[in-house]
Amino acid sequence: MSEGEKTRLIAWANELRAVHGRLRAALKAAQDAVASGAPAEVASRDLLLFCHGFCVALTGHHEGEDRTLFPALSAAHPELHETIRKLMQDHSMIGHLIGGLQSAVSSGATTTAMASHLEGIAAIMESHFRHEERELLDVLDGLVLDADPAEVLGPL
C-alpha cells in the first residue's frame, strides 16, 4: 500500500473527529451568546446568528452521514446495522430539538428558555458523538470511500 493510500484510509476517522470538534465549538459559541448576560433581545439576536450557523452545520453533518457514510458503512460492515440504526434515530431526535431551538429563537423566548434548548441539544449531541466515535472510528480507519468529505460529513 502506498503512503497516499494509507493516508486516505485513515482520513475518514480524522475527518469525523475534526467535524465533531468544530460542531462542539459552534455549540459553545451559541451557549456563550445566551450566557453573556445581555438582554433577551440582544442574546436572541446573537443566538440567531450562531444558531443558524450551528444548526445548519449540524443538520448538514447528519444528512451527509445518513445519505453517504452510513450506507457505505452498512455495505462494508453489516454487523453495524443496529449501531447505525440507533445513530440515525439520534439524528432524528437532534433534528427535533434543533427545530425547538429555532422556534424559541424566532419567537423571542427568554434567555433561560433558549439556554434550556441548547442544554438539551448539547446533552444528546455529546452522547451521540461519543457513541459514534466509540463505535465507528476503528471502522472508519479502514473505510475506502471515494467521496468529498463535505458531502459525507457536512459543510464544516
Side-chain angles (χ1 to χ4, degrees), residues 33 36 38 41-51:
S36 70
E41 65 187 39
V42 173
S44 182
R45 185 178 60 234
D46 289 347
L47 183 58
L48 186 59
L49 174 66
F50 291 118
C51 175

Side-chain angles (χ1 to χ4, degrees), residues 49-61:
L49 174 66
F50 291 118
C51 175
H52 178 73
F54 165 71
C55 293
V56 166
L58 184 59
T59 300
H61 170 64

Side-chain angles (χ1 to χ4, degrees), residues 2 4-5 19 25 31 40 43 45 50 53 58-59 63-64 77 81 85 108 117-118 123 128 133 137 140 152:
S2 75
E5 289 172 324
V19 167
Q31 289 172 313
R45 185 178 60 234
F50 291 118
L58 184 59
T59 300
E63 288 173 349
H77 299 276
H81 173 75
R85 186 191 67 73
H117 282 282
L118 285 168
H128 172 78
E133 291 166 0
L137 286 180
L140 288 174
V152 176

Side-chain angles (χ1 to χ4, degrees), residues 86-99:
K86 287 178 181 176
L87 291 170
M88 291 177 79
Q89 188 175 25
D90 285 354
H91 290 177
S92 177
M93 184 184 337
I94 291 168
H96 176 74
L97 294 172
I98 286 173

